[in-house]
Every structure is written in C-alpha cells, then in structure tokens.
Amino acid sequence: MFDEKRATRRGLAFGAAGLFALSACGTGDAAAEERVTVPEDAEVEQLRVEVLDTFDHDPGSFTQGLEVAEHPEFGTVFYESAGLYGESDARIVDPGTGEVLASQDLPADLFAEGLTLTDTDLWQITWQEGAALRRDPVTLDVVETVAYEGEGWGICSLDQFTAPKVAEAGTQLIMSDGSSTLTFRDPVTFAPNGTVEVTLDGEPVSQINELECVGGQVWANLWLTDQIVRIDPATGEVGAVVDAAGLLSAEDSPGADVLNGIAAGPDEGTFYVTGKHWPKLFLVRFVP
C-alpha cells in the first residue's frame, strides 16, 4: 500500500509515472531495499519471531504507535495511534477482540505518529506538524499541545535512564524522526535533553520508526522493512536485529502495509506486534 509518508519522501525523485510504478510495486520491493544487513563478524544477535498468540486488529488503522496499560474503566487495553491526514486518532482498544473502546480524532491537518505513556500522561506526536499532544490517558482528551522542531515518527518512555549523552538523569522520552538520531526529551515539558546516533557495526541505521522502551533497551521498527532492532540508548549501538517477515498469512496480506507497532507483552521477553492496516495483531517472542 502506497502511503503519504512514502509518497513525500520517495516521490520527489519521480514524476507521475514513477510514482505510479512505485505504488504498484507494493511494500515488498521497498522493504527489500531498506533492510539492514548484519556483517558476519559483527557481535549482533540475529533473531526471528516465534508467534505465541494471534488477535484481531482493525484493518482500518494506519498503526503508528502501540502501548499496553491498565485503564480504570476497561482494564488491560491497547493504546494505539492511527495516522493519515483526515483519519488520525488516538484510541483505546480491547486486546482480545480488537474493538475500539474509545477514540479521539485529530484535526484533519495533523498526521498522527507514535505515542507513549508516562505515569501521568499519554504523549502523541505528529509527523511534520511539530505538535506533541499531551493527553489524559483515561479520557484521551488533549490537555496541552507542545511544539517541537523536525519530524516525529516514534516515541517511548524509558525509566530512570542515565547516560553521558543526556543532560538530565531520570525518566526520559525517546523520540525518532526517521533518521539515525534518537532524541531524549523531558517527560513533563517535552524539552530536548540530548541525542544519540544509532549505529550497527559502526554504520548509521536510519528509517527508525515506532519505538518501545523495555528492560533499559529501545526496540524499534525500521520503516519499509519487516525488521525490528534492539538499541542500547546509552551508546546507540544495535545489539540485535529481528527478522519479522511472514507474520501475515496470504489470506490476510492483501491491503496490508508495512510492519509497525510494537509493545511489551505480559511476560518478560514477549511483545505485541502489528502493522499498518493489518487485520491481525500478534503476541510474539524473539528467538535465535
């Protein structure tokens, strides 16, 4: 599926005919072009996905961010950010059925990207509009809108983090912008606190998209690919690359876009993963 982000980033190099050809090729060719390769002598784990369970997911959701948390009314829920201009929202989803329990639309001129939870807030970022929405996690109401520079892709919250590249110790929001740079931000003010460059065997890794902070590490979808990487936020070094290809069956694949959406699962080492316009969501483990 040919999304607006892909059109903007890749379409500048093509005329109308080129854009049509790119959209017709689907996500498979683009994903093959963007995949990272682990050198044979690199000390990087190469992992695959073991599926533990499968759930229904709203195929209408252009998934940008995914979190699991407890809600005072609904119990255990997914918080999900869905993108596209005129279709973006923040939603609360029943994990077992995929039913949308509550949602709040964004204005039509905002393209929603990732979201993350802190102890008190739900932060949702936007793609090119430089607007971070601080929401009430119970009602999803927007409490405050904070401006930032650059693009917003993914975001996660890392507890009690200390590193030389960060100005302040403590809980940090970590945000991606599609480049090889991750930006640390204050969880209350959203002010930037520092950056780190993501590398694999010394080479920069870009297209970093949706993020999940767990166990002191950052797990990240690489946009346009079926890969997920594990990043040490203190150094930016990639310590593992996950090949998540083949999750969707042939029956479920038509109309589905790229892998995107990762959240820590109920047990240590488990994760929920899905994708843009995917009809399924999976509980998985990453294994050698």
Side-chain angles (χ1 to χ4, degrees), residues 98-133:
E99 177 188 358
V100 179
L101 302 173
S103 68
Q104 288 270 7
D105 292 338
L106 276 71
D109 60 350
L110 296 184
F111 190 123
E113 287 281 348
L115 88 173
T116 193
L117 286 157
T118 68
D119 289 340
T120 57
D121 301 310
L122 176 67
W123 282 102
Q124 183 180 34
I125 57 176
T126 54
W127 176 30
Q128 293 186 318
E129 294 72 51
L133 309 178

PDB file of all heavy atoms in Angstrom, residues 98-133:
ATOM      1  N   GLY A  98      -9.976  -6.572  19.466  1.00  0.00           N
ATOM      2  CA  GLY A  98      -9.646  -5.513  18.529  1.00  0.00           C
ATOM      3  C   GLY A  98     -10.676  -4.400  18.489  1.00  0.00           C
ATOM      4  O   GLY A  98     -10.543  -3.441  17.727  1.00  0.00           O
ATOM      5  N   GLU A  99     -11.720  -4.492  19.324  1.00  0.00           N
ATOM      6  CA  GLU A  99     -12.767  -3.478  19.346  1.00  0.00           C
ATOM      7  C   GLU A  99     -12.218  -2.154  19.874  1.00  0.00           C
ATOM      8  O   GLU A  99     -11.490  -2.123  20.874  1.00  0.00           O
ATOM      9  CB  GLU A  99     -13.919  -3.927  20.241  1.00  0.00           C
ATOM     10  CG  GLU A  99     -15.038  -2.899  20.382  1.00  0.00           C
ATOM     11  CD  GLU A  99     -16.069  -3.280  21.425  1.00  0.00           C
ATOM     12  OE1 GLU A  99     -15.931  -4.378  22.017  1.00  0.00           O
ATOM     13  OE2 GLU A  99     -17.000  -2.489  21.662  1.00  0.00           O
ATOM     14  N   VAL A 100     -12.572  -1.061  19.189  1.00  0.00           N
ATOM     15  CA  VAL A 100     -12.189   0.268  19.644  1.00  0.00           C
ATOM     16  C   VAL A 100     -13.159   0.702  20.733  1.00  0.00           C
ATOM     17  O   VAL A 100     -14.350   0.885  20.489  1.00  0.00           O
ATOM     18  CB  VAL A 100     -12.189   1.279  18.483  1.00  0.00           C
ATOM     19  CG1 VAL A 100     -11.820   2.672  18.988  1.00  0.00           C
ATOM     20  CG2 VAL A 100     -11.217   0.846  17.389  1.00  0.00           C
ATOM     21  N   LEU A 101     -12.648   0.850  21.954  1.00  0.00           N
ATOM     22  CA  LEU A 101     -13.484   1.169  23.106  1.00  0.00           C
ATOM     23  C   LEU A 101     -13.699   2.671  23.261  1.00  0.00           C
ATOM     24  O   LEU A 101     -14.724   3.105  23.784  1.00  0.00           O
ATOM     25  CB  LEU A 101     -12.828   0.618  24.374  1.00  0.00           C
ATOM     26  CG  LEU A 101     -12.569  -0.893  24.384  1.00  0.00           C
ATOM     27  CD1 LEU A 101     -11.768  -1.288  25.613  1.00  0.00           C
ATOM     28  CD2 LEU A 101     -13.880  -1.659  24.333  1.00  0.00           C
ATOM     29  N   ALA A 102     -12.725   3.463  22.833  1.00  0.00           N
ATOM     30  CA  ALA A 102     -12.820   4.924  22.888  1.00  0.00           C
ATOM     31  C   ALA A 102     -11.810   5.492  21.909  1.00  0.00           C
ATOM     32  O   ALA A 102     -10.782   4.865  21.630  1.00  0.00           O
ATOM     33  CB  ALA A 102     -12.536   5.436  24.302  1.00  0.00           C
ATOM     34  N   SER A 103     -12.097   6.682  21.387  1.00  0.00           N
ATOM     35  CA  SER A 103     -11.152   7.311  20.462  1.00  0.00           C
ATOM     36  C   SER A 103     -11.354   8.811  20.454  1.00  0.00           C
ATOM     37  O   SER A 103     -12.426   9.312  20.806  1.00  0.00           O
ATOM     38  CB  SER A 103     -11.298   6.747  19.047  1.00  0.00           C
ATOM     39  OG  SER A 103     -12.544   7.121  18.481  1.00  0.00           O
ATOM     40  N   GLN A 104     -10.310   9.514  20.048  1.00  0.00           N
ATOM     41  CA  GLN A 104     -10.345  10.964  19.867  1.00  0.00           C
ATOM     42  C   GLN A 104      -9.665  11.282  18.544  1.00  0.00           C
ATOM     43  O   GLN A 104      -8.492  10.949  18.338  1.00  0.00           O
ATOM     44  CB  GLN A 104      -9.609  11.677  21.007  1.00  0.00           C
ATOM     45  CG  GLN A 104     -10.329  11.639  22.335  1.00  0.00           C
ATOM     46  CD  GLN A 104     -11.267  12.836  22.522  1.00  0.00           C
ATOM     47  OE1 GLN A 104     -11.465  13.616  21.609  1.00  0.00           O
ATOM     48  NE2 GLN A 104     -11.831  12.956  23.706  1.00  0.00           N
ATOM     49  N   ASP A 105     -10.401  11.932  17.635  1.00  0.00           N
ATOM     50  CA  ASP A 105      -9.842  12.293  16.342  1.00  0.00           C
ATOM     51  C   ASP A 105      -8.882  13.473  16.472  1.00  0.00           C
ATOM     52  O   ASP A 105      -9.060  14.345  17.327  1.00  0.00           O
ATOM     53  CB  ASP A 105     -10.948  12.680  15.361  1.00  0.00           C
ATOM     54  CG  ASP A 105     -11.822  11.493  14.974  1.00  0.00           C
ATOM     55  OD1 ASP A 105     -11.357  10.349  15.113  1.00  0.00           O
ATOM     56  OD2 ASP A 105     -12.970  11.722  14.546  1.00  0.00           O
ATOM     57  N   LEU A 106      -7.880  13.506  15.592  1.00  0.00           N
ATOM     58  CA  LEU A 106      -7.029  14.669  15.455  1.00  0.00           C
ATOM     59  C   LEU A 106      -7.602  15.578  14.380  1.00  0.00           C
ATOM     60  O   LEU A 106      -8.329  15.103  13.490  1.00  0.00           O
ATOM     61  CB  LEU A 106      -5.598  14.278  15.069  1.00  0.00           C
ATOM     62  CG  LEU A 106      -4.659  13.884  16.217  1.00  0.00           C
ATOM     63  CD1 LEU A 106      -5.047  12.538  16.793  1.00  0.00           C
ATOM     64  CD2 LEU A 106      -3.213  13.864  15.730  1.00  0.00           C
ATOM     65  N   PRO A 107      -7.286  16.881  14.407  1.00  0.00           N
ATOM     66  CA  PRO A 107      -7.682  17.749  13.299  1.00  0.00           C
ATOM     67  C   PRO A 107      -7.170  17.197  11.969  1.00  0.00           C
ATOM     68  O   PRO A 107      -6.135  16.524  11.922  1.00  0.00           O
ATOM     69  CB  PRO A 107      -7.015  19.079  13.646  1.00  0.00           C
ATOM     70  CG  PRO A 107      -6.857  19.050  15.136  1.00  0.00           C
ATOM     71  CD  PRO A 107      -6.585  17.613  15.478  1.00  0.00           C
ATOM     72  N   ALA A 108      -7.877  17.476  10.895  1.00  0.00           N
ATOM     73  CA  ALA A 108      -7.562  16.887   9.598  1.00  0.00           C
ATOM     74  C   ALA A 108      -6.193  17.270   9.080  1.00  0.00           C
ATOM     75  O   ALA A 108      -5.633  16.576   8.212  1.00  0.00           O
ATOM     76  CB  ALA A 108      -8.629  17.291   8.576  1.00  0.00           C
ATOM     77  N   ASP A 109      -5.618  18.367   9.587  1.00  0.00           N
ATOM     78  CA  ASP A 109      -4.306  18.795   9.109  1.00  0.00           C
ATOM     79  C   ASP A 109      -3.162  18.235   9.948  1.00  0.00           C
ATOM     80  O   ASP A 109      -2.005  18.624   9.757  1.00  0.00           O
ATOM     81  CB  ASP A 109      -4.218  20.325   9.060  1.00  0.00           C
ATOM     82  CG  ASP A 109      -4.438  20.975  10.426  1.00  0.00           C
ATOM     83  OD1 ASP A 109      -4.849  20.271  11.371  1.00  0.00           O
ATOM     84  OD2 ASP A 109      -4.187  22.188  10.533  1.00  0.00           O
ATOM     85  N   LEU A 110      -3.450  17.316  10.865  1.00  0.00           N
ATOM     86  CA  LEU A 110      -2.422  16.658  11.657  1.00  0.00           C
ATOM     87  C   LEU A 110      -2.332  15.183  11.282  1.00  0.00           C
ATOM     88  O   LEU A 110      -3.345  14.502  11.179  1.00  0.00           O
ATOM     89  CB  LEU A 110      -2.711  16.784  13.154  1.00  0.00           C
ATOM     90  CG  LEU A 110      -2.707  18.190  13.761  1.00  0.00           C
ATOM     91  CD1 LEU A 110      -2.917  18.107  15.272  1.00  0.00           C
ATOM     92  CD2 LEU A 110      -1.418  18.928  13.450  1.00  0.00           C
ATOM     93  N   PHE A 111      -1.120  14.697  11.096  1.00  0.00           N
ATOM     94  CA  PHE A 111      -0.837  13.303  10.751  1.00  0.00           C
ATOM     95  C   PHE A 111      -0.231  12.663  11.990  1.00  0.00           C
ATOM     96  O   PHE A 111       0.922  12.912  12.332  1.00  0.00           O
ATOM     97  CB  PHE A 111       0.151  13.279   9.574  1.00  0.00           C
ATOM     98  CG  PHE A 111       0.373  11.941   8.923  1.00  0.00           C
ATOM     99  CD1 PHE A 111       0.146  11.780   7.562  1.00  0.00           C
ATOM    100  CD2 PHE A 111       0.850  10.851   9.630  1.00  0.00           C
ATOM    101  CE1 PHE A 111       0.374  10.570   6.931  1.00  0.00           C
ATOM    102  CE2 PHE A 111       1.088   9.636   9.020  1.00  0.00           C
ATOM    103  CZ  PHE A 111       0.842   9.494   7.654  1.00  0.00           C
ATOM    104  N   ALA A 112      -0.998  11.836  12.684  1.00  0.00           N
ATOM    105  CA  ALA A 112      -0.539  11.230  13.939  1.00  0.00           C
ATOM    106  C   ALA A 112       0.583  10.235  13.689  1.00  0.00           C
ATOM    107  O   ALA A 112       0.587   9.505  12.694  1.00  0.00           O
ATOM    108  CB  ALA A 112      -1.696  10.536  14.648  1.00  0.00           C
ATOM    109  N   GLU A 113       1.517  10.208  14.623  1.00  0.00           N
ATOM    110  CA  GLU A 113       2.603   9.225  14.590  1.00  0.00           C
ATOM    111  C   GLU A 113       2.606   8.437  15.900  1.00  0.00           C
ATOM    112  O   GLU A 113       1.547   8.020  16.344  1.00  0.00           O
ATOM    113  CB  GLU A 113       3.926   9.945  14.321  1.00  0.00           C
ATOM    114  CG  GLU A 113       4.077  10.436  12.878  1.00  0.00           C
ATOM    115  CD  GLU A 113       4.487   9.351  11.899  1.00  0.00           C
ATOM    116  OE1 GLU A 113       4.875   8.249  12.329  1.00  0.00           O
ATOM    117  OE2 GLU A 113       4.422   9.606  10.670  1.00  0.00           O
ATOM    118  N   GLY A 114       3.755   8.243  16.529  1.00  0.00           N
ATOM    119  CA  GLY A 114       3.831   7.377  17.695  1.00  0.00           C
ATOM    120  C   GLY A 114       3.188   7.961  18.940  1.00  0.00           C
ATOM    121  O   GLY A 114       2.833   9.141  18.992  1.00  0.00           O
ATOM    122  N   LEU A 115       3.022   7.107  19.945  1.00  0.00           N
ATOM    123  CA  LEU A 115       2.519   7.550  21.249  1.00  0.00           C
ATOM    124  C   LEU A 115       3.176   6.743  22.345  1.00  0.00           C
ATOM    125  O   LEU A 115       3.665   5.632  22.108  1.00  0.00           O
ATOM    126  CB  LEU A 115       1.003   7.479  21.339  1.00  0.00           C
ATOM    127  CG  LEU A 115       0.293   6.192  21.785  1.00  0.00           C
ATOM    128  CD1 LEU A 115      -1.190   6.449  21.963  1.00  0.00           C
ATOM    129  CD2 LEU A 115       0.516   5.044  20.825  1.00  0.00           C
ATOM    130  N   THR A 116       3.190   7.316  23.552  1.00  0.00           N
ATOM    131  CA  THR A 116       3.750   6.611  24.697  1.00  0.00           C
ATOM    132  C   THR A 116       3.096   7.099  25.977  1.00  0.00           C
ATOM    133  O   THR A 116       2.537   8.197  26.033  1.00  0.00           O
ATOM    134  CB  THR A 116       5.283   6.809  24.792  1.00  0.00           C
ATOM    135  OG1 THR A 116       5.829   5.867  25.722  1.00  0.00           O
ATOM    136  CG2 THR A 116       5.652   8.214  25.232  1.00  0.00           C
ATOM    137  N   LEU A 117       3.181   6.269  27.005  1.00  0.00           N
ATOM    138  CA  LEU A 117       2.601   6.582  28.313  1.00  0.00           C
ATOM    139  C   LEU A 117       3.693   6.879  29.326  1.00  0.00           C
ATOM    140  O   LEU A 117       4.728   6.209  29.358  1.00  0.00           O
ATOM    141  CB  LEU A 117       1.771   5.406  28.809  1.00  0.00           C
ATOM    142  CG  LEU A 117       0.418   5.182  28.135  1.00  0.00           C
ATOM    143  CD1 LEU A 117      -0.014   3.736  28.304  1.00  0.00           C
ATOM    144  CD2 LEU A 117      -0.639   6.115  28.732  1.00  0.00           C
ATOM    145  N   THR A 118       3.444   7.871  30.167  1.00  0.00           N
ATOM    146  CA  THR A 118       4.237   8.077  31.373  1.00  0.00           C
ATOM    147  C   THR A 118       3.334   7.752  32.560  1.00  0.00           C
ATOM    148  O   THR A 118       2.222   7.257  32.392  1.00  0.00           O
ATOM    149  CB  THR A 118       4.754   9.524  31.459  1.00  0.00           C
ATOM    150  OG1 THR A 118       3.640  10.405  31.676  1.00  0.00           O
ATOM    151  CG2 THR A 118       5.471   9.928  30.176  1.00  0.00           C
ATOM    152  N   ASP A 119       3.796   8.071  33.759  1.00  0.00           N
ATOM    153  CA  ASP A 119       2.974   7.795  34.940  1.00  0.00           C
ATOM    154  C   ASP A 119       1.678   8.599  34.931  1.00  0.00           C
ATOM    155  O   ASP A 119       0.679   8.199  35.535  1.00  0.00           O
ATOM    156  CB  ASP A 119       3.755   8.107  36.218  1.00  0.00           C
ATOM    157  CG  ASP A 119       4.867   7.113  36.472  1.00  0.00           C
ATOM    158  OD1 ASP A 119       4.795   6.002  35.903  1.00  0.00           O
ATOM    159  OD2 ASP A 119       5.811   7.453  37.213  1.00  0.00           O
ATOM    160  N   THR A 120       1.690   9.751  34.260  1.00  0.00           N
ATOM    161  CA  THR A 120       0.527  10.640  34.321  1.00  0.00           C
ATOM    162  C   THR A 120      -0.066  11.003  32.970  1.00  0.00           C
ATOM    163  O   THR A 120      -1.213  11.452  32.911  1.00  0.00           O
ATOM    164  CB  THR A 120       0.902  11.951  35.039  1.00  0.00           C
ATOM    165  OG1 THR A 120       2.009  12.559  34.332  1.00  0.00           O
ATOM    166  CG2 THR A 120       1.313  11.692  36.473  1.00  0.00           C
ATOM    167  N   ASP A 121       0.692  10.827  31.894  1.00  0.00           N
ATOM    168  CA  ASP A 121       0.276  11.368  30.603  1.00  0.00           C
ATOM    169  C   ASP A 121       0.374  10.351  29.474  1.00  0.00           C
ATOM    170  O   ASP A 121       1.127   9.374  29.552  1.00  0.00           O
ATOM    171  CB  ASP A 121       1.141  12.581  30.230  1.00  0.00           C
ATOM    172  CG  ASP A 121       1.062  13.696  31.247  1.00  0.00           C
ATOM    173  OD1 ASP A 121      -0.065  14.084  31.610  1.00  0.00           O
ATOM    174  OD2 ASP A 121       2.129  14.175  31.690  1.00  0.00           O
ATOM    175  N   LEU A 122      -0.381  10.643  28.442  1.00  0.00           N
ATOM    176  CA  LEU A 122      -0.255   9.940  27.171  1.00  0.00           C
ATOM    177  C   LEU A 122       0.235  10.962  26.153  1.00  0.00           C
ATOM    178  O   LEU A 122      -0.469  11.923  25.834  1.00  0.00           O
ATOM    179  CB  LEU A 122      -1.611   9.370  26.734  1.00  0.00           C
ATOM    180  CG  LEU A 122      -1.660   8.692  25.360  1.00  0.00           C
ATOM    181  CD1 LEU A 122      -0.841   7.411  25.367  1.00  0.00           C
ATOM    182  CD2 LEU A 122      -3.106   8.397  24.968  1.00  0.00           C
ATOM    183  N   TRP A 123       1.458  10.791  25.656  1.00  0.00           N
ATOM    184  CA  TRP A 123       2.022  11.699  24.661  1.00  0.00           C
ATOM    185  C   TRP A 123       1.830  11.111  23.268  1.00  0.00           C
ATOM    186  O   TRP A 123       2.158   9.948  23.031  1.00  0.00           O
ATOM    187  CB  TRP A 123       3.511  11.914  24.905  1.00  0.00           C
ATOM    188  CG  TRP A 123       3.854  12.852  26.016  1.00  0.00           C
ATOM    189  CD1 TRP A 123       4.269  12.516  27.281  1.00  0.00           C
ATOM    190  CD2 TRP A 123       3.824  14.283  25.975  1.00  0.00           C
ATOM    191  NE1 TRP A 123       4.507  13.649  28.027  1.00  0.00           N
ATOM    192  CE2 TRP A 123       4.244  14.752  27.244  1.00  0.00           C
ATOM    193  CE3 TRP A 123       3.481  15.216  24.989  1.00  0.00           C
ATOM    194  CZ2 TRP A 123       4.329  16.111  27.551  1.00  0.00           C
ATOM    195  CZ3 TRP A 123       3.574  16.566  25.296  1.00  0.00           C
ATOM    196  CH2 TRP A 123       3.994  17.000  26.551  1.00  0.00           C
ATOM    197  N   GLN A 124       1.312  11.907  22.357  1.00  0.00           N
ATOM    198  CA  GLN A 124       1.140  11.503  20.963  1.00  0.00           C
ATOM    199  C   GLN A 124       1.821  12.557  20.078  1.00  0.00           C
ATOM    200  O   GLN A 124       1.593  13.756  20.246  1.00  0.00           O
ATOM    201  CB  GLN A 124      -0.342  11.410  20.599  1.00  0.00           C
ATOM    202  CG  GLN A 124      -0.605  10.913  19.185  1.00  0.00           C
ATOM    203  CD  GLN A 124      -2.091  10.829  18.870  1.00  0.00           C
ATOM    204  OE1 GLN A 124      -2.887  11.644  19.353  1.00  0.00           O
ATOM    205  NE2 GLN A 124      -2.478   9.855  18.075  1.00  0.00           N
ATOM    206  N   ILE A 125       2.664  12.109  19.155  1.00  0.00           N
ATOM    207  CA  ILE A 125       3.380  13.050  18.304  1.00  0.00           C
ATOM    208  C   ILE A 125       2.805  13.048  16.892  1.00  0.00           C
ATOM    209  O   ILE A 125       2.003  12.183  16.532  1.00  0.00           O
ATOM    210  CB  ILE A 125       4.891  12.736  18.269  1.00  0.00           C
ATOM    211  CG1 ILE A 125       5.152  11.296  17.801  1.00  0.00           C
ATOM    212  CG2 ILE A 125       5.507  12.972  19.644  1.00  0.00           C
ATOM    213  CD1 ILE A 125       6.633  10.960  17.653  1.00  0.00           C
ATOM    214  N   THR A 126       3.202  14.049  16.126  1.00  0.00           N
ATOM    215  CA  THR A 126       2.727  14.197  14.753  1.00  0.00           C
ATOM    216  C   THR A 126       3.906  14.212  13.804  1.00  0.00           C
ATOM    217  O   THR A 126       5.046  14.485  14.197  1.00  0.00           O
ATOM    218  CB  THR A 126       1.914  15.497  14.593  1.00  0.00           C
ATOM    219  OG1 THR A 126       2.704  16.607  15.048  1.00  0.00           O
ATOM    220  CG2 THR A 126       0.622  15.423  15.407  1.00  0.00           C
ATOM    221  N   TRP A 127       3.614  13.919  12.533  1.00  0.00           N
ATOM    222  CA  TRP A 127       4.678  13.691  11.556  1.00  0.00           C
ATOM    223  C   TRP A 127       5.445  14.966  11.203  1.00  0.00           C
ATOM    224  O   TRP A 127       6.595  15.137  11.598  1.00  0.00           O
ATOM    225  CB  TRP A 127       4.068  13.038  10.305  1.00  0.00           C
ATOM    226  CG  TRP A 127       5.033  12.845   9.188  1.00  0.00           C
ATOM    227  CD1 TRP A 127       6.386  12.624   9.278  1.00  0.00           C
ATOM    228  CD2 TRP A 127       4.731  12.838   7.793  1.00  0.00           C
ATOM    229  NE1 TRP A 127       6.934  12.485   8.034  1.00  0.00           N
ATOM    230  CE2 TRP A 127       5.951  12.610   7.102  1.00  0.00           C
ATOM    231  CE3 TRP A 127       3.554  12.994   7.072  1.00  0.00           C
ATOM    232  CZ2 TRP A 127       6.011  12.550   5.717  1.00  0.00           C
ATOM    233  CZ3 TRP A 127       3.626  12.910   5.689  1.00  0.00           C
ATOM    234  CH2 TRP A 127       4.829  12.696   5.018  1.00  0.00           C
ATOM    235  N   GLN A 128       4.835  15.878  10.479  1.00  0.00           N
ATOM    236  CA  GLN A 128       5.540  17.069  10.006  1.00  0.00           C
ATOM    237  C   GLN A 128       5.000  18.363  10.618  1.00  0.00           C
ATOM    238  O   GLN A 128       5.446  19.448  10.248  1.00  0.00           O
ATOM    239  CB  GLN A 128       5.445  17.163   8.482  1.00  0.00           C
ATOM    240  CG  GLN A 128       6.203  16.057   7.764  1.00  0.00           C
ATOM    241  CD  GLN A 128       6.222  16.261   6.262  1.00  0.00           C
ATOM    242  OE1 GLN A 128       5.217  16.641   5.668  1.00  0.00           O
ATOM    243  NE2 GLN A 128       7.360  16.013   5.650  1.00  0.00           N
ATOM    244  N   GLU A 129       4.067  18.249  11.520  1.00  0.00           N
ATOM    245  CA  GLU A 129       3.407  19.434  12.050  1.00  0.00           C
ATOM    246  C   GLU A 129       4.065  19.993  13.308  1.00  0.00           C
ATOM    247  O   GLU A 129       3.675  21.045  13.806  1.00  0.00           O
ATOM    248  CB  GLU A 129       1.932  19.119  12.344  1.00  0.00           C
ATOM    249  CG  GLU A 129       1.111  18.827  11.100  1.00  0.00           C
ATOM    250  CD  GLU A 129       1.447  17.476  10.479  1.00  0.00           C
ATOM    251  OE1 GLU A 129       1.459  16.468  11.195  1.00  0.00           O
ATOM    252  OE2 GLU A 129       1.700  17.431   9.252  1.00  0.00           O
ATOM    253  N   GLY A 130       5.061  19.278  13.857  1.00  0.00           N
ATOM    254  CA  GLY A 130       5.779  19.761  15.031  1.00  0.00           C
ATOM    255  C   GLY A 130       4.911  19.947  16.248  1.00  0.00           C
ATOM    256  O   GLY A 130       5.132  20.861  17.055  1.00  0.00           O
ATOM    257  N   ALA A 131       3.907  19.095  16.417  1.00  0.00           N
ATOM    258  CA  ALA A 131       2.984  19.212  17.541  1.00  0.00           C
ATOM    259  C   ALA A 131       2.955  17.908  18.334  1.00  0.00           C
ATOM    260  O   ALA A 131       2.676  16.843  17.770  1.00  0.00           O
ATOM    261  CB  ALA A 131       1.579  19.553  17.058  1.00  0.00           C
ATOM    262  N   ALA A 132       3.260  17.993  19.634  1.00  0.00           N
ATOM    263  CA  ALA A 132       3.122  16.858  20.546  1.00  0.00           C
ATOM    264  C   ALA A 132       1.880  17.095  21.396  1.00  0.00           C
ATOM    265  O   ALA A 132       1.734  18.149  22.027  1.00  0.00           O
ATOM    266  CB  ALA A 132       4.357  16.723  21.429  1.00  0.00           C
ATOM    267  N   LEU A 133       0.982  16.117  21.407  1.00  0.00           N
ATOM    268  CA  LEU A 133      -0.270  16.234  22.141  1.00  0.00           C
ATOM    269  C   LEU A 133      -0.151  15.478  23.462  1.00  0.00           C
ATOM    270  O   LEU A 133       0.050  14.263  23.474  1.00  0.00           O
ATOM    271  CB  LEU A 133      -1.428  15.668  21.318  1.00  0.00           C
ATOM    272  CG  LEU A 133      -1.548  16.181  19.875  1.00  0.00           C
ATOM    273  CD1 LEU A 133      -2.712  15.499  19.174  1.00  0.00           C
ATOM    274  CD2 LEU A 133      -1.690  17.690  19.830  1.00  0.00           C
TER     275      LEU A 133
END
